[in-house]
Amino acid sequence: MKIICIGRNYIDHAKELGNKVPKEPMFFLKPETSLLRNNDPFYYPDFTKELHYEVEIVVKINKMGKHIDKRFAHRYYDRIGIGIDFTARDLQRQAKEKGHPWTKAKSFDFSAPVGNEFISKTEFASVQDINFKLEKNGQVVQQGNTRDMIFDIDTIISYVSSFITLKTGDLIFTGTPAGVGEVQIGDRLSAYIEERLLLDFEIK
């Protein structure tokens, strides 16, 4: 199982970090050891002093596919969830300045908390009209709608599968809206799809 993360997939988020809006999907990988399940607490790592949350809609792949035509991409997933792409922003910044890969800023242990429940896509009128949000200590810090994605889910699946074979159980983090920010020890993060609480855990 692998975790595929799409970067800069919401215009406002790309701009808030001073990045150009991409012309094609950009993606990176997190290993399975990045998963944090069961609303377990997240322990603030000692290698960063600037840990950022990024809430994202997560798609679960339900069958193997490669070189998937966009017309058929909808057949390769049937459930939607929510997760957080934790980023050690200081490490990422240092890597970018040196022109180095920023894997260690994104792919460290437990950097991908995911809600235990995934919702059938049939429960939504359209997967391109899903509201989601993140609260920090009870205050909304991020909110978005999948209609604001630069590249929709089917485009992402088609594009990624032209490079990497998708397998059953793979997770695709589809990008984060504007509003990313820091977390501190003692914070509580709660993530929702529509009004459904699917992820709720503490920073320790």
Side-chain angles (χ1 to χ4, degrees):
M1 192 278 281
K2 55 189 173 290
I3 304 165
I4 300 157
C5 300
I6 307 300
R8 304 177 196 169
N9 200 25
Y10 289 78
I11 291 174
D12 289 344
H13 170 61
K15 290 180 177 178
E16 77 177 342
L17 294 183
N19 296 314
K20 293 181 179 179
V21 176
K23 292 184 171 20
E24 60 186 26
M26 55 176 291
F27 66 92
F28 58 92
L29 301 178
K30 287 179 182 263
E32 188 172 354
T33 49
S34 293
L35 280 179
L36 181 67
R37 301 181 188 269
N38 304 315
N39 288 319
D40 288 341
F42 175 87
Y43 290 89
Y44 201 111
D46 59 8
F47 51 75
T48 179
K49 298 186 183 307
E50 192 181 352
L51 184 70
H52 279 204
Y53 55 77
E54 300 184 13
V55 72
E56 311 198 12
I57 289 292
V58 180
V59 173
K60 182 181 283 190
I61 298 299
N62 64 2
K63 64 178 179 177
M64 182 182 292
K66 184 170 177 62
H67 295 296
I68 300 165
D69 191 288
K70 183 179 176 180
R71 294 174 298 164
F72 307 120
H74 66 278
R75 300 178 181 176
Y76 288 82
Y77 71 102
D78 56 10
R79 304 192 76 78
I80 304 287
I82 200 163
I84 292 173
D85 167 22
F86 274 131
T87 304
R89 195 70 72 196
D90 46 357
L91 299 188
Q92 185 186 43
R93 189 181 305 113
Q94 292 164 17
K96 284 182 175 181
E97 288 170 354
K98 296 175 181 178
H100 293 171
W102 26 274
T103 302
K104 66 183 181 182
K106 284 282 194 179
S107 304
F108 52 89
D109 287 351
F110 309 121
S111 61
V114 176
N116 287 335
E117 183 181 0
F118 281 72
I119 303 170
S120 171
K121 68 181 183 183
T122 60
E123 293 189 30
F124 304 103
S126 169
V127 294
Q128 287 309 126
D129 188 18
I130 299 174
N131 293 299
F132 62 104
K133 66 181 178 181
L134 178 69
E135 293 181 354
K136 184 174 78 169
N137 304 325
Q139 300 295 316
V140 176
V141 288
Q142 281 188 281
Q143 52 189 350
N145 186 292
T146 53
R147 65 172 169 262
D148 297 323
M149 287 180 177
I150 299 170
F151 306 104
D152 63 24
I153 293 171
D154 290 354
T155 298
I156 290 168
I157 288 174
S158 177
Y159 183 85
V160 171
S161 73
S162 68
F163 298 94
I164 299 176
T165 299
L166 299 178
K167 291 189 173 183
T168 302
D170 286 351
L171 300 178
I172 300 180
F173 279 58
T174 58
T176 193
V180 302
E182 285 191 61
V183 291
Q184 305 292 340
I185 293 172
D187 285 342
R188 187 175 196 93
L189 297 179
S190 308
Y192 298 75
I193 291 181
E194 300 296 344
E195 295 304 316
R196 203 155 160 179
L197 177 62
L198 298 177
L199 185 59
D200 186 35
F201 64 99
E202 290 182 298
I203 310 294
K204 292 191 173 181

